[in-house]
């Protein structure tokens, strides 16, 4: 079994034509179940580290969050399967009422001799209510 760490990435997000890594997972419980059901029906492999084998891409448009890409490495079909899973090209994240952490920059040259595992990063925090951006 594996555990997420400070370097775990849960997908990517496009904001104003720029791509950033997501440090938090926007999927809701219902969407996770739909994905699990799809993977079972299509004999996909199972991993205890879903962030390493499932690739998601999101887009923020008109202050709304949409899932636009879903790729499952442990499935035979390694293409974007969002239409097969959710019957749509863009899934509006109306379930999301929480914050998302977006990695803007990872300061690789930062070091703290007292805390060698400490990282310094620039983050953008996006706060959503019913899939609509309310603050950043």
């Amino acid at each position: 079994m594996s555990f997420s760490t400070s370097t775990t990435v849960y997908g990517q997000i496009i904001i104003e034509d720029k791509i950033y890594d997501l440090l938090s997972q926007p999927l809701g419980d219902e969407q996770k179940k739909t994905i699990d059901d799809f993977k079972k029906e299509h004999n996909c492999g199972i991993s205890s580290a879903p962030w390493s084998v499932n690739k998601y891409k999101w887009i923020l448009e008109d202050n709304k969050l949409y899932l636009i890409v879903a790729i499952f490495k442990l499935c035979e079909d390694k293409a974007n399967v969002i239409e097969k899973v959710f019957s749509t090209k863009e899934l509006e994240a109306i379930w999301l009422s929480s914050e998302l952490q977006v990695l803007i920059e990872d300061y690789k040259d930062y070091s703290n001799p007292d805390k060698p595992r400490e990282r310094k990063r620039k983050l953008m925090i996006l706060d959503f209510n019913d899939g609509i951006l309310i603050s950043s």
Side-chain angles (χ1 to χ4, degrees):
M1 181 174 198
S2 61
F3 299 95
S4 60
T5 67
S6 64
T7 60
T8 300
V9 173
Y10 291 92
Q12 295 181 316
I13 186 169
I14 301 169
I15 303 171
E16 297 177 358
D17 296 324
K18 292 184 182 176
I19 299 174
Y20 302 97
D21 287 337
L22 277 173
L23 302 180
S24 49
Q25 178 60 269
L27 287 172
D29 291 339
E30 185 178 324
Q31 291 70 38
K32 289 177 189 173
K33 183 181 179 333
T34 301
I35 288 167
D36 288 345
D37 290 347
F38 174 87
K39 290 169 84 174
K40 284 178 189 171
E41 289 173 19
H42 292 85
N43 298 317
C44 298
I46 306 276
S47 170
S48 63
W51 55 83
S52 68
V53 294
N54 299 335
K55 300 299 176 198
Y56 302 105
K57 189 173 280 187
W58 303 79
I59 189 166
L60 186 62
E61 285 183 332
D62 299 322
N63 290 330
K64 294 180 182 178
L65 185 67
Y66 299 91
L67 177 64
I68 58 171
V69 173
I71 297 172
F72 310 131
K73 284 186 179 179
L74 298 180
C75 288
E76 196 171 299
D77 186 352
K78 306 243 187 313
N80 182 7
V81 293
I82 189 168
E83 287 187 70
K84 292 177 183 177
V85 177
F86 296 108
S87 302
T88 185
K89 290 183 180 185
E90 293 184 336
L91 181 65
E92 187 176 350
I94 58 174
W95 62 85
L96 185 63
S97 291
S98 61
E99 291 182 345
L100 286 183
Q101 295 179 1
V102 178
L103 179 62
I104 302 299
E105 186 176 358
D106 197 352
Y107 299 103
K108 296 187 186 329
D109 59 346
Y110 172 80
S111 66
N112 181 343
D114 297 328
K115 297 179 181 178
R117 296 182 69 182
E118 185 176 83
R119 305 174 69 88
K120 186 174 182 180
R121 295 174 157 175
K122 182 178 181 180
L123 301 180
M124 179 189 320
I125 307 297
L126 304 176
D127 192 15
F128 289 88
N129 187 19
D130 299 328
I132 298 172
L133 181 67
I134 56 175
S135 69
S136 66

